[in-house]
Amino acid sequence: MTAFIFNELNFDNHEQVVFVSEAKSGLKGIIAVHNTNLGPAMGGCRMWNYASEAHAINDVLRLSRGMTYKNAVAGLPIGGGKSVIIGNPKTDKTPALFEALGEALERLAGRYITAEDVGTSPADMAYVATKTGYVAGLGDSGDPSPFTALGCFVGAQAAVKHQLKRDSMEGLVVALQGLGHVGYDYARRLHAAGAKLIVADIDEAALERARTELGAEIVSTSAIYDVQADIYAPCALGATLNPDTLDRLKVKIVAGAANNQLATADVGDLLRQKGVLYAPDFVINAGGIIKVCYEYLNKPQADVEAHVREIGDTLAEVFTRADREGRSTSVVADEVAEARFKR
Ligand code: NAD
């Protein structure tokens, strides 16, 4: 038998990794607390039909580390964590499953606070909440996506100012991939600011709405990488910045909401060499977690927007420092986060 967690690719001195299970509900989950130097670890619960337990472990290690960086760079008083439930979110969900997760969180006594994520919903979190208070982003709290979209918009403004030396979005062309909860709201803001939109999605209704409401030009999901535009805004999938798309993209800026946009870490530097300004994903897409964190900590909702707008200032600092030091924005953003959470 091979013990492999400490040698796992994504293991990064996580404080605690807890395997949780419960026979009656069939719960099989993993909670990873990456770092709590800034406060209790917060990050969503993903439910996924993982190909193997190793895939689930790797995912929770990677995602929880990412939350530490995202929360730190956003200036939130929380650490980074994540949980995964192994199972099919379409067929395996029961109230008992999420109640059992709630009991497991209660045993961690607040070291990790969960929320919804891919494969889970506010309704699932309501079952978690019957067993523990260590859960955020409940049904009545509203959708955090508009705040993620606001963060993307102010992030794009900062990128335009830095890269194109312009204060206005008027007439800029944005190639936007994914008109979902975040992408559509971001597109709406870009349109209102005078940008021209070229959009791609697999959802015909969303495309039609963007065409009629926002005057967007529609292209295929493959052609979105090839269009002539100023900004590429990935708001659907991860890993869309890779050697293949890098050869095709004709933009000067990447500013979008998707998580894990770089297929591999070196792509950050390849973008720099190509003269493309990359707004690191975990900096620009933190609007949603800012909103959820304020709610959980009972901080005034009236202050959320101002905090989200600080994403623009943080990015401006990252861009300037990356230029000065001749390094990729992604590496510099990592260092900004580390300076805050590492002891
Ligand atoms: P969503 O599921 O509402 O929207 C995703 C959209 O992408 C959908 O319209 C879908 O049809 C479209 N899509 C799927 N495959 C596509 C493809 N191949 N080409 C083009 N479009 C495709 O998700 P969301 O909540 O809007 O999140 C979008 C991205 O932002 C995700 O990567 C998510 O992890 C990230 N993110 C979201 C938030 C948030 O607050 N919702 C916060 C941080 C990061």
Side-chain angles (χ1 to χ4, degrees), residues 46 70 117-118 143-149 152 176-184 199-204 206-207 219-222 224-225 234-238 240 256-261 281 284-289 292:
R46 182 164 293 196
K70 183 186 292 206
D117 194 70
V118 175
D143 180 6
S145 307
F147 291 92
T148 308
C152 288
L176 193 143
Q177 177 186 53
L179 292 161
H181 288 96
V182 180
Y184 200 89
V199 298
D201 201 300
I202 50 173
D203 179 344
E204 291 294 331
L207 288 170
V219 295
S220 74
T221 53
S222 161
I224 194 75
Y225 302 113
C235 298
L237 320 160
T240 66
N259 279 312
N260 305 311
Q261 293 171 26
D281 45 17
I284 196 169
N285 74 11
I289 188 75
V292 169

Side-chain angles (χ1 to χ4, degrees), residues 5 10 62 72 160 166 189 220 223 236 245 254 301 327:
I5 290 177
N10 291 313
R62 176 179 68 87
V160 164
R166 290 179 49 154
R189 285 183 180 275
S220 74
T245 58
V254 176
Q301 285 301 304
R327 296 186 311 147

Side-chain angles (χ1 to χ4, degrees), residues 304-319:
V304 173
E305 181 169 334
H307 196 143
V308 174
R309 286 186 180 276
E310 286 172 17
I311 289 173
D313 306 329
T314 305
L315 280 170
E317 280 167 35
V318 167
F319 297 153

